[in-house]
Amino acid sequence: GDHLEATRSLAPADPDVTQALDTLGGDAESGVATRDKLAATMPDAFATAVEAEQVAQADGWVDQTLAKLEGLVTVRRTDGQVEGDGADAVTSRAEALFEGGDLKAAMAELDSLSQPAAEALADWRARAESYLAAHDALDDLRSRAVALVGGAGN
């Protein structure tokens, strides 16, 4: 909090700086998940999304029970080469994009998840969106700082 306010005092009338600091300030108390934390929690979160879709598509209590039991042991392809629009295929492609360094593209891929899968993935996705917003805000601050320093010599 103190560092954000100190930074804010350096350019109080700059809307770009204010917006970036407001974005960072929103997660100041709880912190933003690291990329490593997102990667570590991804397999379980994605498996939960796949299971949620399977349970939602099951007919009757017997099929739903079987779908839940099948969810206890899940084998997912993570090479990104799975075609289709089911949660297993979508999460496989998203995971490959994430592992390739493109979290924004991974998030865009996850937009096509069914409602049950998307709801099951909501917490992980919120952490990933906070991560992206924080990094975008830091990039904006860096750019603005360079512009301000460059303009000071004129």
Side-chain angles (χ1 to χ4, degrees):
D2 293 339
H3 296 305
L4 291 175
E5 291 310 311
T7 304
R8 190 181 307 273
S9 70
L10 296 174
D14 189 319
D16 294 332
V17 171
T18 300
Q19 182 178 2
L21 292 174
D22 287 346
T23 298
L24 292 172
D27 291 312
E29 292 204 19
S30 62
V32 174
T34 64
R35 188 181 192 299
D36 289 342
K37 180 70 173 174
L38 291 171
T41 57
M42 181 187 302
D44 287 342
F46 283 14
T48 300
V50 171
E51 179 186 349
E53 183 176 88
Q54 290 170 342
V55 170
Q57 291 174 348
D59 292 328
W61 70 271
V62 172
D63 286 343
Q64 288 179 354
T65 302
L66 289 174
K68 287 181 182 181
L69 290 173
E70 288 172 1
L72 296 175
V73 179
T74 303
V75 177
R76 291 181 48 251
R77 286 184 57 183
T78 59
D79 60 5
Q81 302 300 313
V82 181
E83 292 186 23
D85 58 0
D88 189 40
V90 172
T91 57
S92 176
R93 291 190 299 267
E95 189 166 357
L97 289 164
F98 178 89
E99 294 300 328
D102 195 347
L103 180 54
K104 286 183 182 181
M107 297 294 282
E109 182 67 37
L110 294 173
D111 286 342
S112 65
L113 284 172
S114 66
Q115 183 177 353
E119 288 174 359
L121 196 60
D123 288 342
W124 186 90
R125 188 173 178 121
R127 288 190 300 275
E129 287 170 351
S130 291
Y131 173 89
L132 285 173
H135 280 268
D136 286 347
L138 287 172
D139 288 345
D140 291 348
L141 284 174
R142 282 187 202 101
S143 297
R144 194 66 192 126
V146 168
L148 289 171
V149 170
N154 291 335

